[in-house]
Every structure is written in C-alpha cells, then in structure tokens.
Amino acid sequence: MVRFSRFPVRHCSLAVLVLAATACTPGSDAVPEATQFATTTTITTPDRSDGTLTIGLLLPSSNPTLGQGLIDAANIAVDRINDAGGVLGRNVRVIEQDEGLGDGTAAASIAALIESTPSVDAVIGPSSSLTALKQLDTLVAAGIPSCSPTATALALDNFPDQRLFFRTVPSDSLQAVAAAELAERTGVQDVAVVYIDDAYGRPFAAAVEDALAVGTQVSRVENYGFVRSVGDLAEKARQVADSGTRVVVLLAGSDDGAAFLEALNDTSFGSISDIIVNDTMRDPSVTPRVEALDPALRSLVRGVAPQAQSNNADEPFDPPGLFAAQAFDCVNLIALAAYSAISDDPAKFAPKIQALTDGGRVCLSFEACSMLLNEELAINYNGPDGITELKVSGDPRRARFDVFRFDDTGRAEFIQSLVAERR
C-alpha cells in the first residue's frame, strides 16, 4: 500500500448546486479540412519537483463571457485546496497566461508558461478545440499535462498526447451518443443523419451512426452530407423531406445548421416528426433565423449540448458560471493526483489522474478526497455536477447533457437532462 503523508487539513464541505443553462456551448469548433497532428516527441525529463505544485492557467481572459468565469472557478478551486492544507504541505501556486482569441497569442502564452520560473507542473486549458489541436504538441513535448474544461472536438479523441491531455467536458463523440439516444427514444426505426460535409461533420456523423448501431432499435440510417451552396442545400433538403424518414439528426456548425433548417423550411417537411440538432445551434447568433422558421418546423427541433451549468436557478453549481464546474474539476484532479503521488513531478502524478474518477469511495471536494487518500483508500472524485468519470484516454466516459428546444422567439430553452455513457 502507498503511504500518504498526513498534512493538516481543515474541514469544509462542497455543496453540489445548480444554475439555469445558457444558450451557447463553446469548444465545438469545426476543425480544419485537413487536420494533421504535429509529430510529438517524447522527452525524458529529470524529476523537476521543487516541492510546490504550480498550475498554469491558459484560458481566454480577453473573452469576458467565458474566460473570466473559467479563471475564477480555477482560482476558487486553488483557494479551497490551500485552505484545506494544500499539496505536499504547501500552497498550490498559480501562473496565469491569456489564451487569447487567436493562435499567435496562445502559442506565445504556452511558451511563457513552459519557460516560467517557477516552472509549471500542469496547465488548465486551452479552452478552444482549435487551439488544442494546433498547440498541444508543444505542451506534450515539454512533458506537461493539461486539462481542458471546454474543448469538445472529436478530433482530440485520438490526439497523440502521451496520456498528458485530459478534459472534463465531454467529447463530441459522446455528444453523438446523446444524440443517438434522443433519436432512439422517439421509437422510430429509420433515421436520417444530415451533416456538413467537412472535417467536422463527417466524423461526427460517423460517431452518431456507430452509436445508433449499438444497443438501439434503429434498423436503417441514411446519410446526407451537404455543402454550402444554394443548389446543394435545396436539393439535400428536398431529398430528406421526400425520403419518408421521421427522425433527422442534423450535425453542423451554427451557421451551416441554420442554413439547412432554412432550406428545409422551403419544403413540405414530408413525414418528419423530430429534428435533433447538436450543441452549436444554441448559439444566440442564430436566434433570429430560428425565429423566422415556420412554427410547425421549429416545433420539431430539439437539441443536445454538454451541460454548461446548472438548470436550476435556485440551486447554482458551486462555483457557478459557464463551464465553471469543469474548470474546477480540472484543478482538483491535478491537485489530488499530485497529493496521491506525493510529488509535484508531472511524470509521477499525471498517470494517476484517471484512476481518481472511477471506483473507490465517492468524494466531492479536495479536502474530503485527500482525507480518504490519507487513509490509503481509493477514491471516486465527483465534482459539482455529480458526474466525473474519465476513460484511460482522458475523455469523460459519462456526462450530463442538456436537451433543449426553441421557443417562439427562436431562443433555446432547457427541457431536461440526459446522461450519456459510452456503450
């Protein structure tokens, strides 16, 4: 049995609370048409432990809607860890760098974190899927683990990260499972999967097909890839409307998804009874376009999106804010891994992260979990949303999704929660 150092801790409880969902889920960026992973070099680094866990924040402070909430949540987690005695008997340090809104800022910020004094032991971020795909290899080559609270791109599922990248937000591949489950619940056996025919839509559609093929009653799936040309949109919309299908799963970015709904609006809708869209359609930018749809068509549309915050305004998550729970989880998992490894050396604590979320005693805070580790007990860390379970690859195995629909003004409104699990 591993012996854990007993550091003094003070008792404080973590309430699991909830807040009303908002309309936009970030991180689902469409990846470039030809996504190529950079060659990652595995660097053998010496034990660089200085006895103090140092966490870098690579989050978009220049984005007031998303970034500051993520930063605040990460700092709240660090404050509570330090109030509970810290890690290795010392306070956790934080070094902040702006991820920015473009590739150049992120690259410079990553370089600054790697070269910082003291050096960072782990990074929270990046928030953007595109930034992650372009820049993660730099962190991996430096041997620094990172955790994204918002990057959902399916292309990150197979990123060559040497098990140094994990995320607390579900991948689009798990969102595909949620969409397939919603389609199955209609009881219909024939489903049409409509998708933007690019590097974002094709793998997303394939993931939905795979999910429909396992453990569902769906017996036939037809595919309709479309591109953004007036003729193709109109033709594909007519094909779908005339196909006799009753359930349509529409996978695209917000602009492309709205464009297909507008093209479908010019048809008779055929026998379609349900249209299931993905998370990007909660983007407020498409609200007026959804409002302009025929009410009969708009009423058929539902969507699934990773839960960004609680759906109960009277019981917000702690901490509250868009994807704040996911950022909070990233910090706690890194700190608990270092605590269990009795080291701030990434090579020693990074391999322990996944095991902290599966099996063992359930605990909801760093303090409670560290007390169990002191007793040499395996733990199952669950964060503010009540579900934190990672696969060995570092992606969530289960996650909670919002099911939403559109009101008469075109705004997305929450209907219910759905827990999706990889089959």
Side-chain angles (χ1 to χ4, degrees):
M1 298 290 287
V2 177
R3 303 294 299 181
F4 295 96
S5 301
R6 269 63 171 179
F7 299 119
V9 293
R10 293 188 295 276
H11 178 73
C12 81
S13 61
L14 175 65
V16 180
L17 305 174
V18 267
L19 177 70
T22 63
C24 182
T25 301
S28 300
D29 329 55
V31 297
E33 183 63 35
T35 301
Q36 294 183 344
F37 298 125
T39 300
T40 301
T41 302
T42 303
I43 296 177
T44 302
T45 57
D47 185 338
R48 61 187 184 195
S49 171
D50 63 3
T52 299
L53 179 64
T54 302
I55 297 177
L57 302 187
L58 180 67
L59 297 168
S61 57
S62 49
N63 179 344
T65 302
L66 174 68
Q68 196 55 54
L70 296 176
I71 293 167
D72 290 346
N75 280 310
I76 288 171
V78 170
D79 287 344
R80 293 183 186 178
I81 290 166
N82 292 340
D83 286 345
V87 176
L88 308 176
R90 298 182 182 180
N91 282 349
V92 176
R93 289 183 297 221
V94 174
I95 298 176
E96 295 186 17
Q97 287 287 338
D98 183 16
E99 178 184 350
L101 304 178
D103 196 37
T105 300
S109 294
I110 289 173
L113 288 173
I114 292 174
E115 297 166 6
S116 67
T117 303
S119 60
V120 297
D121 302 310
V123 167
I124 309 301
S127 67
S128 162
S129 293
L130 287 175
T131 299
L133 288 164
K134 292 179 180 179
Q135 301 296 336
L136 268 182
D137 61 292
T138 304
L139 288 169
V140 171
I144 299 174
S146 58
C147 175
S148 177
T150 53
T152 66
L154 192 151
L156 287 166
D157 287 14
N158 298 313
F159 190 88
D161 57 30
Q162 308 294 324
R163 292 184 61 184
L164 289 173
F165 172 69
F166 67 105
R167 46 186 167 175
T168 49
V169 68
S171 165
D172 286 340
S173 60
L174 187 52
Q175 184 180 163
V177 174
E181 182 168 335
L182 200 59
E184 182 190 14
R185 289 182 181 184
T186 65
V188 173
Q189 295 185 333
D190 293 346
V191 175
V193 178
V194 180
Y195 59 94
I196 184 69
D197 193 5
D198 63 10
Y200 172 67
R202 287 191 294 270
F204 207 162
V208 171
E209 283 188 73
D210 290 344
L212 288 170
V214 179
T216 74
Q217 299 301 311
V218 175
S219 58
R220 186 167 66 96
V221 178
E222 294 186 351
N223 292 303
Y224 299 87
F226 69 91
V227 295
R228 282 298 297 276
S229 67
V230 175
D232 188 68
L233 272 174
E235 176 61 24
K236 288 293 166 59
R238 282 195 297 271
Q239 289 178 11
V240 172
D242 295 341
S243 68
T245 190
R246 292 182 57 196
V247 175
V248 174
V249 178
L250 173 59
L251 308 168
S254 55
D255 184 42
D256 293 323
F260 188 85
L261 288 177
E262 288 166 341
L264 196 60
N265 197 61
D266 293 332
T267 74
S268 64
F269 323 152
S271 57
I272 297 172
S273 60
D274 289 272
I275 302 172
I276 298 166
V277 299
N278 59 299
D279 60 326
T280 60
M281 288 300 294
R282 284 207 301 191
D283 190 329
S285 68
V286 301
T287 295
R289 297 169 67 181
V290 175
E291 180 184 15
L293 296 175
D294 186 324
L297 177 65
R298 188 173 57 242
S299 68
L300 305 180
V301 182
R302 291 180 295 162
V304 291
Q307 185 179 50
Q309 56 186 3
S310 164
N311 302 304
N312 187 336
D314 297 325
E315 295 182 350
F317 283 156
D318 177 21
L322 280 172
F323 295 96
Q326 285 84 348
F328 187 84
D329 286 347
C330 281
V331 174
N332 276 339
L333 287 171
I334 288 167
L336 287 168
Y339 192 96
S340 66
I342 320 177
S343 174
D344 62 307
D345 180 8
K348 295 181 179 178
F349 72 74
K352 294 182 175 290
I353 291 172
Q354 182 273 335
L356 299 172
T357 69
D358 189 14
R361 300 282 188 90
V362 173
C363 50
L364 307 179
S365 68
F366 172 85
E367 182 183 31
C369 292
S370 63
M371 286 181 174
L372 293 173
L373 292 173
N374 285 342
E375 297 175 15
E376 302 179 353
L377 296 172
I379 66 169
N380 181 354
Y381 170 79
N382 279 332
D385 76 343
I387 299 179
T388 306
E389 185 177 337
L390 304 182
K391 301 190 302 175
V392 173
S393 65
D395 285 340
R397 183 190 308 277
R398 294 192 306 145
R400 199 182 309 276
F401 290 83
D402 292 342
V403 179
F404 62 92
R405 63 185 173 194
F406 297 102
D407 64 17
D408 292 342
T409 69
R411 296 182 61 181
E413 59 180 11
F414 171 77
I415 305 174
Q416 65 186 82
S417 288
L418 182 158
V419 175
E421 181 172 359
R422 295 180 189 276
R423 294 165 176 162

